[in-house]
């Protein structure tokens, strides 16, 4: 690749990284002077760092030289996959148990939703104090579901009914 093109590529990467850091840490603050210094410093560094070379410094460092030599002289390994015949691994069993639990709980939720919809269809719908109320003839404990109160008014006196509606 052309040296000039490589230089501009490095400068653009540095500017992008400095800009990401700027957006991450300086967004929303009011330190305008610090922002200006940061932007000037980051542009200056972006245009000068491609000229800096640390190769000579790295060559002088014995520990780095040893690490590089050891890394480059690692033996080549060949990895061959082991064929597993059994589908009953611990991971597969745990996934199956988890999936079965999710299925059972989903079916249970659907049954409960259907029973609430049946109660809503069977009961008398009324509007009391701006609240939707379904009066039922079944002996149930009062409950609410999606801003609708389900109650059997025969089982409760007027005071209890007001408390239920207020709650």
């Amino acid at each position: 690749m052309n040296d000039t093109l490589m230089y501009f590529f490095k400068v653009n990467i540095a500017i992008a990284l400095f800009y990401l850091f700027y957006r991450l840490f300086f967004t929303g603050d009011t330190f305008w002077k610090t922002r200006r210094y940061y932007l000037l410093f980051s542009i200056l560094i972006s245009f000068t760092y491609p000229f800096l070379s640390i190769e000579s410094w790295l060559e002088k460092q014995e520990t780095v030289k040893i690490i590089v030599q050891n890394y480059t002289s690692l033996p080549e390994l060949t990895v061959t996959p082991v064929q597993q015949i059994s589908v009953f691994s611990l991971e597969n069993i745990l996934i199956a148990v988890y999936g079965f639990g999710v299925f059972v709980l989903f079916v249970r939720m659907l049954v409960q939703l259907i029973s609430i919809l049946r109660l809503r269809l069977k009961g008398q719908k009324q509007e009391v104090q701006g609240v939707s109320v379904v009066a039922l003839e079944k002996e149930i404990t009062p409950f609410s579901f999606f801003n609708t109160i389900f109650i059997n008014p025969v089982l409760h006196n007027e005071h209890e009914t007001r408390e239920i509606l207020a709650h």
Side-chain angles (χ1 to χ4, degrees), residues 36 66 76 99-100 140 166:
R36 287 186 199 112
I66 293 169
E76 185 176 322
F100 181 73
I140 62 162

Side-chain angles (χ1 to χ4, degrees), residues 27-51:
T27 302
D29 70 0
T30 57
F31 303 118
W32 305 112
K33 202 173 202 179
T34 307
R35 282 183 176 199
R36 287 186 199 112
Y37 286 133
Y38 174 78
L39 289 173
L40 288 173
F41 178 73
S42 65
I43 290 172
L44 180 70
I45 293 294
S46 296
F47 280 99
T48 57
Y49 99 91
F51 295 119

Side-chain angles (χ1 to χ4, degrees), residues 125-143:
K125 295 164 193 74
Q126 302 170 356
E127 185 83 18
V128 178
Q129 299 173 359
V131 178
S132 177
V133 176
V134 175
L136 300 167
E137 296 176 4
K138 215 174 182 183
E139 287 193 27
I140 62 162
T141 305
F143 67 95

Side-chain angles (χ1 to χ4, degrees), residues 1-16 46-51:
M1 190 180 279
N2 190 358
D3 289 338
T4 309
L5 195 59
M6 185 58 102
Y7 169 76
F8 285 121
F9 182 69
K10 289 179 180 179
V11 168
N12 282 321
I13 288 177
I15 288 174
S46 296
F47 280 99
T48 57
Y49 99 91
F51 295 119

Side-chain angles (χ1 to χ4, degrees), residues 24 44 53 73 91 97 123-125 134-135 144 151 157 160 167:
L24 191 65
L44 180 70
S53 175
S73 64
E91 182 181 0
V97 169
Q124 296 175 349
K125 295 164 193 74
V134 175
S144 66
I151 188 171
N157 60 31
E160 289 175 341
H167 180 70

